[in-house]
Amino acid sequence: MSLEVRAVVESEYPDWLRAVSTGFLRPPVVTDEEVADRLPHTDLSRLLGVFEQGRIVATFRSFTQELSAVGGGTLVADAVTGVTVSATHRRRGLLSRMMARDLAAAKERGDAVATLIAAEYPIYGRFGFGPATWTTEWTVDVRRAGLDPRRSGRPEDGGRIDFTDAEEIRKVAPELHRRLGGVRAGIVGRDARSWDVLTGRVHHSSPWTEPFYAVYRDEADQPQGYVSYTCDDKWEDGKQPLNTATVKDLIAVTPAAERALWLFLCSVDWVTAVKSGMRAPDDLLPLLLPDPRAARVTTQADMLWVRVLDVAKVLEGRTYAGSGTLVLDLRDATGLAGGRYRLDASPEGATCSRTTESPELAFDIGELGTLSLGDESAVRLAALGRVEEIAPGAAARADALLRTSRRPWCPDIF
């Protein structure tokens, strides 16, 4: 039977949402209220479905996103989400057809990259995506952490932490988040609706539990970080508290704010465990503790995947701590971004253009996505056989140019 890939029209949107829920193994129920809430925030021209006899058997959505680059600049990204193929229609090339259509449109618009959060690791490498950030979750056994139980939780640097509410967070936190993108690569933009979802003004998929909100302010009374977290209500038989604080969101734009917020969470009475939520792998949390072994890693996984669409925009859109040149031979089976490029970089800026010079490194376009935000090592990729080092020492020179002192981080699933 004919399988048609096309944009979804408004009357088909409820069916598209049901197909997404089915693909993600959620109950295939969509309310009129959910449709009415989501539809105004959805660009139907970027909402794809695969249709068979009027039924939607595969789904795909993209939207415009800002991605923070190394040094605080931003890249325009084609954010991919809502990707499903019905269990009855697997292995028929439906995802390939939808992805090719979307990436071609993104390239035509001039987007620098495409981004996604991969539900399964093996799928997206064949489309030129590479894992560019990783995430770690810790569970802290507060009783083993070695912190002084008499500590009040008050910051020792002259700042303070205050409880607040969702309304205040919607005023204060967006600017903190924007500032975070200025000091950390990999941060994706949050619009007003994102903050409505994060603070419970909008919720559909599960019952909402109102979190606690706390803001850290420095000595000048300026907000420098905030945390939202929930607590359970668990006690052991001996009437001793066994409560867990689970972090929903923690943004800190200064090291002082980051330290103060973690130490505050570990000082809350009755809390014997802190679940960190998704953090950068080099988060300060474990080493803040007198006994870092009290922070047990419970998740370590890939997070944001990047697909480079415009090599020059990506390599010129970031900063460099040192100076140097690289000639890269990039393989891209789709023809969207492959070719040979020369990068000339310095702390003052960078230029990247096509060249006929002999290449020093050669690799698939997905590896450039992996290297683009400064997390991965070209030397390690060469050892893995994923980067070909044509000029001796080129991989080490690439690391000196591309890697960053703090690892990129994407705290958001989209």
Side-chain angles (χ1 to χ4, degrees), residues 107-185:
K107 177 73 173 181
E108 181 68 21
R109 283 193 304 269
D111 295 350
V113 296
T115 57
L116 55 81
I117 308 294
E120 298 178 67
Y121 192 99
I123 294 175
Y124 293 100
R126 67 181 189 268
F127 303 114
F129 288 83
T133 78
W134 289 71
T135 190
T136 305
E137 294 186 75
W138 288 273
T139 298
V140 179
D141 184 342
V142 175
R143 295 167 297 184
R144 282 192 52 201
L147 296 167
D148 186 345
R150 297 168 299 177
R151 185 180 181 277
S152 68
R154 180 183 177 86
E156 298 173 355
D157 58 3
R160 74 175 198 273
I161 293 175
D162 299 313
F163 280 114
T164 186
D165 56 21
E167 183 177 357
E168 180 67 16
I169 290 300
R170 285 191 288 268
K171 297 175 182 177
V172 172
E175 178 59 24
L176 291 173
H177 184 264
R178 283 190 288 272
R179 290 173 59 195
L180 180 65
V183 297
R184 179 82 78 154

Side-chain angles (χ1 to χ4, degrees), residues 393-413:
R397 287 193 287 112
D399 280 359
L401 280 178
L402 298 175
R403 297 196 80 183
T404 56
S405 56
R406 291 298 300 270
R407 298 181 69 174
W409 175 43
C410 179
D412 293 287
I413 292 177

Side-chain angles (χ1 to χ4, degrees), residues 63-67 169 173-178 180 187-196 198-199 226 228 248-251 278-279 409-413:
F63 60 94
T64 298
Q65 180 185 74
E66 286 191 345
L67 171 67
I169 290 300
E175 178 59 24
L176 291 173
H177 184 264
R178 283 190 288 272
L180 180 65
I187 305 297
V188 298
R190 293 179 180 177
D191 59 14
R193 179 175 170 79
S194 299
W195 289 106
D196 285 345
L198 286 166
T199 57
Y226 102 98
S228 66
K248 299 301 182 182
D249 198 26
L250 189 153
I251 293 175
M278 297 182 295
R279 308 300 302 172
W409 175 43
C410 179
D412 293 287
I413 292 177

Side-chain angles (χ1 to χ4, degrees), residues 13-14 17-18 29-41 193 202-204:
Y13 185 58
L17 288 175
R18 275 188 284 271
V29 177
V30 178
T31 65
D32 292 341
E33 292 77 13
E34 182 176 357
V35 171
D37 175 70
R38 291 183 183 273
L39 187 57
H41 306 280
R193 179 175 170 79
V202 174
H203 57 90
H204 300 291

Side-chain angles (χ1 to χ4, degrees), residues 78 98-110 309 336:
D78 174 55
M98 294 187 294
M99 184 68 77
R101 175 170 170 158
D102 183 78
L103 293 181
K107 177 73 173 181
E108 181 68 21
R109 283 193 304 269
L309 296 171
L336 290 171

Side-chain angles (χ1 to χ4, degrees), residues 1-6 49-58 88-89 92 94 97:
M1 296 182 181
S2 174
L3 292 166
E4 180 188 13
V5 179
R6 62 171 173 81
V50 178
F51 292 78
E52 182 183 64
Q53 294 185 317
R55 291 181 298 112
I56 299 177
V57 297
T88 59
H89 287 71
R92 302 191 194 185
L94 303 185
R97 291 172 63 185

